[in-house]
Amino acid sequence: MESEQAILAFAALAQPTRLDVFRLLIEHEPDGLPAGDIARHMIVPHNTMSTHLAILSRAGLIEAERQSRSIIYRAKLDAVRELAGYLVKDCCGGRPEICAPLIADLSPCCTPQNGVTKEPANG
C-alpha cells in the first residue's frame, strides 16, 4: 500500500458516521448490507448515507454490488489487512518481540466465540 492510499483510507475513516458504517459492514461480512438498511441503522438520511458510502468506496474500503433492486455494500477485508500492514510494516525497527503484543491484540478478534471450534462434518 502506498502512502497516498493509506492517507485516503484514514481520511475516509476520520469521520464518525463513516467509521461506524465501516465497522458495521465488517460485522456483517461476508453477506454485506443493503444501502437502505445501513442508512436506517445509522439513522442517517439516504442521500447523506449515499455520500458517505461513495467516500468509503473511493478510498477502497468498501465495495458495492447490485442485487436486483438493491445495492449491497461489503467491507473489503483485504483493504483492512493492507492498512494494518502499512501501519506496522517497519514495526519496531526489526525487533518483532516488541510488536508481539500488538499482534496478539489483533488476533483475539477473529477467534471462535466461547473458545469453541467447529469440526468439519464427516462426509
Side-chain angles (χ1 to χ4, degrees):
M1 172 175 278
E2 298 294 324
S3 292
E4 283 119 30
Q5 183 61 36
I7 290 167
L8 189 62
F10 286 126
L13 295 172
Q15 195 280 342
T17 300
R18 289 193 293 270
L19 180 60
D20 290 345
V21 167
F22 186 67
R23 291 177 54 120
L24 177 69
L25 290 174
I26 286 178
E27 286 177 35
H28 285 85
E29 276 301 307
D31 299 325
L33 286 173
D37 289 359
I38 297 168
R40 280 188 290 281
H41 183 71
M42 293 288 144
I43 312 170
V44 172
H46 290 264
N47 59 340
T48 303
M49 183 53 63
S50 188
T51 300
H52 287 308
L53 292 169
I55 291 168
L56 289 167
S57 184
R58 278 193 302 274
L61 295 169
I62 66 172
E63 59 189 356
E65 177 186 344
R66 180 168 288 284
Q67 289 183 359
S68 184
R69 293 176 46 196
S70 294
I71 298 177
I72 306 299
Y73 286 89
R74 292 183 182 85
K76 292 176 71 175
L77 297 180
D78 283 346
V80 175
R81 180 185 47 77
E82 287 177 23
L83 197 54
Y86 175 81
L87 287 174
V88 298
K89 180 180 175 190
D90 300 316
C91 185
C92 307
R95 296 177 53 207
E97 71 278 5
I98 296 173
C99 289
L102 171 64
I103 294 166
D105 284 348
L106 292 174
S107 298
C109 71
C110 299
T111 57
Q113 292 180 359
N114 301 325
V116 177
T117 58
K118 291 184 178 182
E119 296 295 326
N122 291 333

